[in-house]
Amino acid sequence: MIRMTDTDTPCLHLVYEMWDSMIEKVKKVIYRYEGKLEDEESDLYSVIYDILIARWTKENNPLHCLAHSLNPRYYSKRWLEEGVGREPPHKDKEVSKMRMVCFKKFFLMPEELAKVKEEYSRFSSCSEEFNDPDSIHDRWVVSPMTWWTNHGQSAPLLMSLAMKLLSQPASSSCCERNWSTYSFVHSVKRNALTPERAEDLVFVHSNLRHLSRRTDAYKT
């Protein structure tokens, strides 16, 4: 996942689907190796599944769910029919919960929040202006940015948010920055630190750097 997302091209809206597909592929490989049917239980898969879900829970961000919700492709009939059990983002409980968390943070005014929810309702259900055959067809054919540019004018708040998120690249630079701090703390000459102590020092070092940026001296 780090390799797939460590790129300069926008892929924030693809992360949630990548994780979902990866878990399904892992299940197929394990079940094929063990010669089991899909409705049977696998002890090996249960262990690996718990590891993957724990990692996903740790790395998941509400923005992944919001960007997933604003990708028109995930509402198209062709995408829904490609995999078993797929459902559009507005019918997914986890995605819907995280989407509302983001909406409330982005739109603090009650009037704007109500308007963007109404716009999303029309977008997700392909109703009113979004019920145009050309608009529905393009959900699968063109890129998300192109689709919003051509068909999103009737939902200005949602369109503005979609254009920001769908153009965002994901990068592992934050991980690499953390590793650089760790190598600064745990060096060749200072190698007797326990992993717990080293993690605590990295945590303190990183947060002190963030706090220093709020000082007047840093701003000037």
Short mmCIF file of all heavy atoms in Angstrom, two decimals, residues 60-113:
data_model
loop_
_atom_site.label_atom_id
_atom_site.label_comp_id
_atom_site.label_asym_id
_atom_site.label_seq_id
_atom_site.Cartn_x
_atom_site.Cartn_y
_atom_site.Cartn_z
N ASN A 60 -6.28 4.48 8.87
CA ASN A 60 -7.45 5.05 8.22
C ASN A 60 -7.70 6.48 8.68
O ASN A 60 -7.55 6.82 9.85
CB ASN A 60 -8.68 4.19 8.51
CG ASN A 60 -9.89 4.65 7.73
OD1 ASN A 60 -9.76 5.29 6.69
ND2 ASN A 60 -11.08 4.33 8.23
N ASN A 61 -8.08 7.31 7.74
CA ASN A 61 -8.37 8.71 8.00
C ASN A 61 -9.74 9.03 7.42
O ASN A 61 -10.07 8.54 6.33
CB ASN A 61 -7.28 9.58 7.36
CG ASN A 61 -7.40 11.04 7.76
OD1 ASN A 61 -8.34 11.72 7.38
ND2 ASN A 61 -6.42 11.50 8.51
N PRO A 62 -10.55 9.83 8.12
CA PRO A 62 -11.87 10.17 7.56
C PRO A 62 -11.80 10.76 6.15
O PRO A 62 -12.74 10.59 5.36
CB PRO A 62 -12.41 11.20 8.56
CG PRO A 62 -11.76 10.84 9.85
CD PRO A 62 -10.38 10.36 9.48
N LEU A 63 -10.68 11.41 5.81
CA LEU A 63 -10.55 11.97 4.46
C LEU A 63 -10.53 10.88 3.39
O LEU A 63 -10.96 11.10 2.27
CB LEU A 63 -9.28 12.82 4.36
CG LEU A 63 -9.34 14.21 4.98
CD1 LEU A 63 -7.99 14.89 4.86
CD2 LEU A 63 -10.43 15.05 4.34
N HIS A 64 -10.00 9.70 3.74
CA HIS A 64 -10.02 8.59 2.79
C HIS A 64 -11.47 8.24 2.44
O HIS A 64 -11.79 7.98 1.28
CB HIS A 64 -9.33 7.36 3.37
CG HIS A 64 -7.85 7.55 3.58
ND1 HIS A 64 -7.19 7.02 4.67
CD2 HIS A 64 -6.93 8.21 2.85
CE1 HIS A 64 -5.91 7.34 4.58
NE2 HIS A 64 -5.72 8.06 3.49
N CYS A 65 -12.31 8.20 3.45
CA CYS A 65 -13.73 7.85 3.24
C CYS A 65 -14.46 8.96 2.48
O CYS A 65 -15.28 8.67 1.60
CB CYS A 65 -14.41 7.60 4.58
SG CYS A 65 -13.75 6.17 5.48
N LEU A 66 -14.14 10.21 2.79
CA LEU A 66 -14.79 11.31 2.09
C LEU A 66 -14.38 11.33 0.62
O LEU A 66 -15.22 11.49 -0.26
CB LEU A 66 -14.43 12.64 2.76
CG LEU A 66 -15.00 13.90 2.09
CD1 LEU A 66 -16.52 13.84 2.04
CD2 LEU A 66 -14.54 15.15 2.82
N ALA A 67 -13.08 11.18 0.37
CA ALA A 67 -12.61 11.16 -1.02
C ALA A 67 -13.20 9.97 -1.78
O ALA A 67 -13.54 10.08 -2.96
CB ALA A 67 -11.08 11.11 -1.05
N HIS A 68 -13.32 8.84 -1.10
CA HIS A 68 -13.96 7.65 -1.70
C HIS A 68 -15.40 7.96 -2.06
O HIS A 68 -15.89 7.54 -3.12
CB HIS A 68 -13.89 6.50 -0.70
CG HIS A 68 -14.54 5.24 -1.16
ND1 HIS A 68 -13.96 4.38 -2.08
CD2 HIS A 68 -15.73 4.68 -0.83
CE1 HIS A 68 -14.76 3.36 -2.30
NE2 HIS A 68 -15.85 3.51 -1.56
N SER A 69 -16.08 8.70 -1.21
CA SER A 69 -17.49 9.04 -1.45
C SER A 69 -17.66 10.00 -2.62
O SER A 69 -18.72 10.01 -3.26
CB SER A 69 -18.11 9.68 -0.19
OG SER A 69 -18.10 8.79 0.89
N LEU A 70 -16.65 10.81 -2.89
CA LEU A 70 -16.76 11.82 -3.95
C LEU A 70 -16.23 11.34 -5.29
O LEU A 70 -16.18 12.11 -6.24
CB LEU A 70 -16.02 13.09 -3.52
CG LEU A 70 -16.57 13.79 -2.27
CD1 LEU A 70 -15.74 15.02 -1.93
CD2 LEU A 70 -18.03 14.19 -2.48
N ASN A 71 -15.80 10.08 -5.36
CA ASN A 71 -15.35 9.52 -6.63
C ASN A 71 -16.57 8.97 -7.39
O ASN A 71 -17.17 7.97 -6.97
CB ASN A 71 -14.35 8.40 -6.39
CG ASN A 71 -13.67 7.93 -7.66
OD1 ASN A 71 -14.19 8.11 -8.76
ND2 ASN A 71 -12.50 7.32 -7.52
N PRO A 72 -16.96 9.58 -8.49
CA PRO A 72 -18.18 9.16 -9.20
C PRO A 72 -18.12 7.70 -9.67
O PRO A 72 -19.16 7.05 -9.83
CB PRO A 72 -18.23 10.11 -10.41
CG PRO A 72 -17.36 11.26 -10.03
CD PRO A 72 -16.31 10.71 -9.14
N ARG A 73 -16.91 7.17 -9.90
CA ARG A 73 -16.77 5.81 -10.43
C ARG A 73 -17.39 4.77 -9.50
O ARG A 73 -17.90 3.74 -9.96
CB ARG A 73 -15.29 5.51 -10.66
CG ARG A 73 -15.01 4.10 -11.13
CD ARG A 73 -13.60 3.97 -11.67
NE ARG A 73 -13.40 4.79 -12.86
CZ ARG A 73 -12.29 4.79 -13.58
NH1 ARG A 73 -11.28 4.04 -13.22
NH2 ARG A 73 -12.18 5.56 -14.65
N TYR A 74 -17.35 5.01 -8.19
CA TYR A 74 -17.82 4.02 -7.22
C TYR A 74 -19.34 3.98 -7.12
O TYR A 74 -19.88 3.25 -6.29
CB TYR A 74 -17.19 4.28 -5.86
CG TYR A 74 -15.68 4.17 -5.88
CD1 TYR A 74 -14.88 5.07 -5.19
CD2 TYR A 74 -15.06 3.17 -6.62
CE1 TYR A 74 -13.49 4.98 -5.24
CE2 TYR A 74 -13.68 3.06 -6.66
CZ TYR A 74 -12.91 3.98 -5.97
OH TYR A 74 -11.54 3.87 -6.02
N TYR A 75 -20.01 4.77 -7.94
CA TYR A 75 -21.49 4.72 -8.00
C TYR A 75 -21.96 4.12 -9.32
O TYR A 75 -23.15 3.92 -9.51
CB TYR A 75 -22.08 6.13 -7.85
CG TYR A 75 -21.74 6.80 -6.55
CD1 TYR A 75 -20.58 7.55 -6.41
CD2 TYR A 75 -22.58 6.68 -5.44
CE1 TYR A 75 -20.25 8.16 -5.21
CE2 TYR A 75 -22.26 7.30 -4.24
CZ TYR A 75 -21.10 8.03 -4.14
OH TYR A 75 -20.78 8.64 -2.94
N SER A 76 -21.02 3.86 -10.22
CA SER A 76 -21.40 3.35 -11.54
C SER A 76 -21.79 1.88 -11.45
O SER A 76 -21.26 1.11 -10.64
CB SER A 76 -20.23 3.53 -12.53
OG SER A 76 -19.12 2.77 -12.11
N LYS A 77 -22.68 1.48 -12.32
CA LYS A 77 -23.18 0.11 -12.34
C LYS A 77 -22.08 -0.88 -12.68
O LYS A 77 -22.01 -1.97 -12.12
CB LYS A 77 -24.32 0.00 -13.35
CG LYS A 77 -24.98 -1.37 -13.40
CD LYS A 77 -26.13 -1.39 -14.40
CE LYS A 77 -26.78 -2.77 -14.44
NZ LYS A 77 -27.89 -2.82 -15.43
N ARG A 78 -21.18 -0.48 -13.56
CA ARG A 78 -20.12 -1.38 -13.99
C ARG A 78 -19.16 -1.70 -12.83
O ARG A 78 -18.74 -2.84 -12.67
CB ARG A 78 -19.35 -0.74 -15.15
CG ARG A 78 -18.30 -1.66 -15.75
CD ARG A 78 -17.78 -1.08 -17.05
NE ARG A 78 -16.68 -1.87 -17.58
CZ ARG A 78 -16.05 -1.60 -18.72
NH1 ARG A 78 -16.42 -0.57 -19.45
NH2 ARG A 78 -15.06 -2.36 -19.13
N TRP A 79 -18.82 -0.69 -12.03
CA TRP A 79 -17.92 -0.94 -10.89
C TRP A 79 -18.60 -1.82 -9.85
O TRP A 79 -17.98 -2.71 -9.28
CB TRP A 79 -17.51 0.38 -10.25
CG TRP A 79 -16.59 0.20 -9.08
CD1 TRP A 79 -15.24 -0.01 -9.11
CD2 TRP A 79 -16.96 0.18 -7.69
NE1 TRP A 79 -14.74 -0.16 -7.83
CE2 TRP A 79 -15.77 -0.05 -6.95
CE3 TRP A 79 -18.16 0.33 -7.01
CZ2 TRP A 79 -15.77 -0.12 -5.56
CZ3 TRP A 79 -18.15 0.27 -5.62
CH2 TRP A 79 -16.96 0.04 -4.91
N LEU A 80 -19.88 -1.59 -9.60
CA LEU A 80 -20.62 -2.37 -8.60
C LEU A 80 -20.72 -3.83 -9.00
O LEU A 80 -20.74 -4.72 -8.15
CB LEU A 80 -22.02 -1.78 -8.39
CG LEU A 80 -22.06 -0.38 -7.77
CD1 LEU A 80 -23.49 0.16 -7.79
CD2 LEU A 80 -21.53 -0.40 -6.34
N GLU A 81 -20.78 -4.10 -10.31
CA GLU A 81 -20.93 -5.47 -10.78
C GLU A 81 -19.60 -6.21 -10.90
O GLU A 81 -19.59 -7.42 -11.10
CB GLU A 81 -21.63 -5.47 -12.14
CG GLU A 81 -23.09 -5.02 -12.08
CD GLU A 81 -23.73 -4.94 -13.45
OE1 GLU A 81 -22.96 -5.00 -14.46
OE2 GLU A 81 -24.97 -4.81 -13.53
N GLU A 82 -18.48 -5.49 -10.77
CA GLU A 82 -17.17 -6.12 -10.92
C GLU A 82 -16.81 -7.02 -9.75
O GLU A 82 -16.08 -7.98 -9.90
CB GLU A 82 -16.09 -5.04 -11.09
CG GLU A 82 -15.91 -4.60 -12.52
CD GLU A 82 -14.67 -3.72 -12.69
OE1 GLU A 82 -14.11 -3.29 -11.66
OE2 GLU A 82 -14.28 -3.46 -13.83
N GLY A 83 -17.29 -6.70 -8.55
CA GLY A 83 -16.95 -7.48 -7.37
C GLY A 83 -18.18 -7.92 -6.60
O GLY A 83 -19.22 -7.24 -6.62
N VAL A 84 -18.06 -9.04 -5.91
CA VAL A 84 -19.19 -9.56 -5.13
C VAL A 84 -19.33 -8.76 -3.84
O VAL A 84 -18.35 -8.50 -3.14
CB VAL A 84 -18.97 -11.05 -4.80
CG1 VAL A 84 -20.13 -11.58 -3.97
CG2 VAL A 84 -18.79 -11.86 -6.07
N GLY A 85 -20.56 -8.34 -3.54
CA GLY A 85 -20.81 -7.63 -2.29
C GLY A 85 -20.48 -6.15 -2.31
O GLY A 85 -20.53 -5.50 -1.28
N ARG A 86 -20.12 -5.62 -3.48
CA ARG A 86 -19.82 -4.20 -3.55
C ARG A 86 -21.08 -3.36 -3.39
O ARG A 86 -22.15 -3.75 -3.86
CB ARG A 86 -19.14 -3.86 -4.88
CG ARG A 86 -17.67 -4.22 -4.94
CD ARG A 86 -17.04 -3.75 -6.24
NE ARG A 86 -15.61 -3.98 -6.25
CZ ARG A 86 -14.82 -3.69 -7.27
NH1 ARG A 86 -15.33 -3.16 -8.37
NH2 ARG A 86 -13.52 -3.93 -7.20
N GLU A 87 -20.94 -2.22 -2.76
CA GLU A 87 -22.06 -1.31 -2.61
C GLU A 87 -21.56 0.12 -2.74
O GLU A 87 -20.39 0.40 -2.42
CB GLU A 87 -22.77 -1.51 -1.27
CG GLU A 87 -21.87 -1.38 -0.05
CD GLU A 87 -22.61 -1.70 1.23
OE1 GLU A 87 -23.79 -2.08 1.15
OE2 GLU A 87 -22.01 -1.55 2.31
N PRO A 88 -22.42 1.03 -3.21
CA PRO A 88 -21.98 2.42 -3.37
C PRO A 88 -21.65 3.05 -2.03
O PRO A 88 -22.17 2.62 -0.99
CB PRO A 88 -23.20 3.09 -4.03
CG PRO A 88 -24.35 2.20 -3.70
CD PRO A 88 -23.80 0.81 -3.63
N PRO A 89 -20.77 4.06 -2.01
CA PRO A 89 -20.33 4.65 -0.74
C PRO A 89 -21.44 5.16 0.17
O PRO A 89 -21.32 5.07 1.39
CB PRO A 89 -19.44 5.81 -1.20
CG PRO A 89 -18.92 5.37 -2.53
CD PRO A 89 -20.04 4.61 -3.16
N HIS A 90 -22.53 5.67 -0.41
CA HIS A 90 -23.58 6.22 0.45
C HIS A 90 -24.39 5.13 1.17
O HIS A 90 -25.18 5.43 2.06
CB HIS A 90 -24.53 7.12 -0.36
CG HIS A 90 -25.37 6.39 -1.36
ND1 HIS A 90 -24.84 5.84 -2.51
CD2 HIS A 90 -26.69 6.11 -1.40
CE1 HIS A 90 -25.79 5.27 -3.22
NE2 HIS A 90 -26.93 5.40 -2.56
N LYS A 91 -24.17 3.85 0.81
CA LYS A 91 -24.83 2.74 1.49
C LYS A 91 -23.90 2.02 2.45
O LYS A 91 -24.33 1.10 3.15
CB LYS A 91 -25.40 1.75 0.48
CG LYS A 91 -26.54 2.31 -0.36
CD LYS A 91 -27.12 1.25 -1.28
CE LYS A 91 -28.29 1.80 -2.10
NZ LYS A 91 -28.87 0.76 -2.99
N ASP A 92 -22.64 2.42 2.49
CA ASP A 92 -21.66 1.82 3.38
C ASP A 92 -21.69 2.55 4.72
O ASP A 92 -21.52 3.77 4.78
CB ASP A 92 -20.26 1.91 2.76
CG ASP A 92 -19.22 1.13 3.56
OD1 ASP A 92 -18.93 1.54 4.70
OD2 ASP A 92 -18.70 0.13 3.04
N LYS A 93 -21.89 1.81 5.80
CA LYS A 93 -22.06 2.42 7.13
C LYS A 93 -20.80 3.15 7.59
O LYS A 93 -20.87 4.29 8.07
CB LYS A 93 -22.45 1.34 8.14
CG LYS A 93 -22.78 1.88 9.52
CD LYS A 93 -23.23 0.76 10.45
CE LYS A 93 -23.57 1.31 11.83
NZ LYS A 93 -24.00 0.21 12.75
N GLU A 94 -19.64 2.50 7.46
CA GLU A 94 -18.38 3.12 7.91
C GLU A 94 -18.06 4.37 7.10
O GLU A 94 -17.70 5.41 7.66
CB GLU A 94 -17.24 2.11 7.79
CG GLU A 94 -15.88 2.68 8.22
CD GLU A 94 -14.73 1.75 7.90
OE1 GLU A 94 -14.94 0.76 7.17
OE2 GLU A 94 -13.62 2.01 8.38
N VAL A 95 -18.18 4.27 5.78
CA VAL A 95 -17.88 5.41 4.91
C VAL A 95 -18.82 6.58 5.22
O VAL A 95 -18.39 7.74 5.30
CB VAL A 95 -17.98 5.00 3.44
CG1 VAL A 95 -17.82 6.21 2.52
CG2 VAL A 95 -16.93 3.96 3.10
N SER A 96 -20.10 6.28 5.40
CA SER A 96 -21.08 7.34 5.67
C SER A 96 -20.80 8.04 7.00
O SER A 96 -20.92 9.27 7.11
CB SER A 96 -22.49 6.75 5.69
OG SER A 96 -22.82 6.20 4.44
N LYS A 97 -20.39 7.27 7.99
CA LYS A 97 -20.08 7.86 9.30
C LYS A 97 -18.88 8.80 9.20
O LYS A 97 -18.91 9.93 9.72
CB LYS A 97 -19.79 6.75 10.31
CG LYS A 97 -19.49 7.25 11.71
CD LYS A 97 -19.21 6.09 12.65
CE LYS A 97 -18.87 6.59 14.06
NZ LYS A 97 -18.58 5.45 14.97
N MET A 98 -17.82 8.35 8.54
CA MET A 98 -16.62 9.19 8.40
C MET A 98 -16.88 10.40 7.50
O MET A 98 -16.32 11.47 7.71
CB MET A 98 -15.47 8.35 7.82
CG MET A 98 -14.96 7.25 8.72
SD MET A 98 -14.22 7.86 10.26
CE MET A 98 -15.57 7.56 11.42
N ARG A 99 -17.73 10.23 6.50
CA ARG A 99 -18.07 11.34 5.61
C ARG A 99 -18.75 12.46 6.39
O ARG A 99 -18.45 13.64 6.21
CB ARG A 99 -18.96 10.85 4.47
CG ARG A 99 -19.31 11.96 3.47
CD ARG A 99 -20.18 11.44 2.34
NE ARG A 99 -21.45 10.90 2.81
CZ ARG A 99 -21.77 9.62 2.82
NH1 ARG A 99 -20.91 8.72 2.39
NH2 ARG A 99 -22.94 9.21 3.26
N MET A 100 -19.66 12.10 7.28
CA MET A 100 -20.36 13.11 8.07
C MET A 100 -19.40 13.81 9.03
O MET A 100 -19.55 15.00 9.30
CB MET A 100 -21.51 12.45 8.85
CG MET A 100 -22.69 12.05 8.00
SD MET A 100 -23.31 13.40 6.97
CE MET A 100 -23.67 14.64 8.21
N VAL A 101 -18.42 13.08 9.55
CA VAL A 101 -17.41 13.71 10.41
C VAL A 101 -16.68 14.80 9.64
O VAL A 101 -16.45 15.91 10.16
CB VAL A 101 -16.41 12.65 10.94
CG1 VAL A 101 -15.22 13.32 11.61
CG2 VAL A 101 -17.10 11.70 11.90
N CYS A 102 -16.30 14.50 8.40
CA CYS A 102 -15.60 15.48 7.57
C CYS A 102 -16.50 16.66 7.20
O CYS A 102 -16.06 17.82 7.23
CB CYS A 102 -15.07 14.81 6.31
SG CYS A 102 -13.72 13.66 6.59
N PHE A 103 -17.73 16.37 6.84
CA PHE A 103 -18.66 17.45 6.49
C PHE A 103 -18.80 18.45 7.64
O PHE A 103 -18.79 19.66 7.42
CB PHE A 103 -20.03 16.86 6.14
CG PHE A 103 -20.15 16.38 4.72
CD1 PHE A 103 -21.23 15.60 4.33
CD2 PHE A 103 -19.18 16.69 3.78
CE1 PHE A 103 -21.34 15.15 3.02
CE2 PHE A 103 -19.29 16.24 2.47
CZ PHE A 103 -20.37 15.48 2.09
N LYS A 104 -18.90 17.95 8.85
CA LYS A 104 -19.09 18.83 10.01
C LYS A 104 -17.85 19.66 10.31
O LYS A 104 -17.94 20.74 10.87
CB LYS A 104 -19.46 17.98 11.23
CG LYS A 104 -20.86 17.37 11.14
CD LYS A 104 -21.18 16.50 12.34
CE LYS A 104 -22.56 15.88 12.21
NZ LYS A 104 -22.88 14.98 13.36
N LYS A 105 -16.66 19.13 9.92
CA LYS A 105 -15.43 19.89 10.13
C LYS A 105 -15.22 20.94 9.03
O LYS A 105 -14.71 22.03 9.28
CB LYS A 105 -14.23 18.95 10.18
CG LYS A 105 -14.14 18.14 11.47
CD LYS A 105 -12.85 17.33 11.53
CE LYS A 105 -12.74 16.59 12.85
NZ LYS A 105 -11.48 15.80 12.94
N PHE A 106 -15.58 20.59 7.79
CA PHE A 106 -15.40 21.50 6.68
C PHE A 106 -16.44 22.62 6.66
O PHE A 106 -16.14 23.75 6.28
CB PHE A 106 -15.45 20.74 5.35
CG PHE A 106 -14.16 20.07 4.99
CD1 PHE A 106 -14.09 18.68 4.92
CD2 PHE A 106 -13.02 20.80 4.71
CE1 PHE A 106 -12.90 18.05 4.59
CE2 PHE A 106 -11.83 20.18 4.37
CZ PHE A 106 -11.76 18.80 4.31
N PHE A 107 -17.66 22.29 7.04
CA PHE A 107 -18.77 23.25 6.95
C PHE A 107 -19.32 23.50 8.36
O PHE A 107 -20.17 22.74 8.85
CB PHE A 107 -19.86 22.72 6.02
CG PHE A 107 -19.35 22.39 4.64
CD1 PHE A 107 -19.04 21.08 4.30
CD2 PHE A 107 -19.17 23.39 3.70
CE1 PHE A 107 -18.57 20.78 3.04
CE2 PHE A 107 -18.69 23.08 2.42
CZ PHE A 107 -18.39 21.77 2.10
N LEU A 108 -18.81 24.55 8.99
CA LEU A 108 -19.19 24.85 10.37
C LEU A 108 -20.54 25.56 10.46
O LEU A 108 -21.21 25.46 11.47
CB LEU A 108 -18.10 25.72 11.02
CG LEU A 108 -16.69 25.09 11.07
CD1 LEU A 108 -15.69 26.07 11.68
CD2 LEU A 108 -16.71 23.78 11.84
N MET A 109 -20.91 26.28 9.40
CA MET A 109 -22.20 26.98 9.39
C MET A 109 -23.32 25.97 9.12
O MET A 109 -23.23 25.18 8.17
CB MET A 109 -22.21 28.06 8.32
CG MET A 109 -21.13 29.12 8.50
SD MET A 109 -21.38 30.07 10.02
CE MET A 109 -22.88 30.95 9.59
N PRO A 110 -24.38 25.98 9.95
CA PRO A 110 -25.49 25.03 9.76
C PRO A 110 -26.11 25.11 8.36
O PRO A 110 -26.50 24.09 7.79
CB PRO A 110 -26.50 25.43 10.83
CG PRO A 110 -25.68 26.13 11.88
CD PRO A 110 -24.59 26.83 11.14
N GLU A 111 -26.17 26.33 7.80
CA GLU A 111 -26.77 26.47 6.48
C GLU A 111 -25.94 25.78 5.41
O GLU A 111 -26.47 25.08 4.54
CB GLU A 111 -26.92 27.96 6.13
CG GLU A 111 -27.85 28.74 7.06
CD GLU A 111 -27.15 29.16 8.35
OE1 GLU A 111 -25.91 28.95 8.45
OE2 GLU A 111 -27.82 29.68 9.25
N GLU A 112 -24.61 25.95 5.48
CA GLU A 112 -23.74 25.31 4.50
C GLU A 112 -23.74 23.79 4.66
O GLU A 112 -23.70 23.05 3.68
CB GLU A 112 -22.31 25.85 4.63
CG GLU A 112 -22.13 27.27 4.15
CD GLU A 112 -20.67 27.68 4.15
OE1 GLU A 112 -19.85 26.99 4.81
OE2 GLU A 112 -20.34 28.69 3.49
N LEU A 113 -23.76 23.33 5.92
CA LEU A 113 -23.78 21.89 6.17
C LEU A 113 -25.04 21.26 5.60
O LEU A 113 -24.98 20.20 4.96
CB LEU A 113 -23.70 21.62 7.68
CG LEU A 113 -23.72 20.15 8.11
CD1 LEU A 113 -22.53 19.40 7.50
CD2 LEU A 113 -23.70 20.03 9.64
#
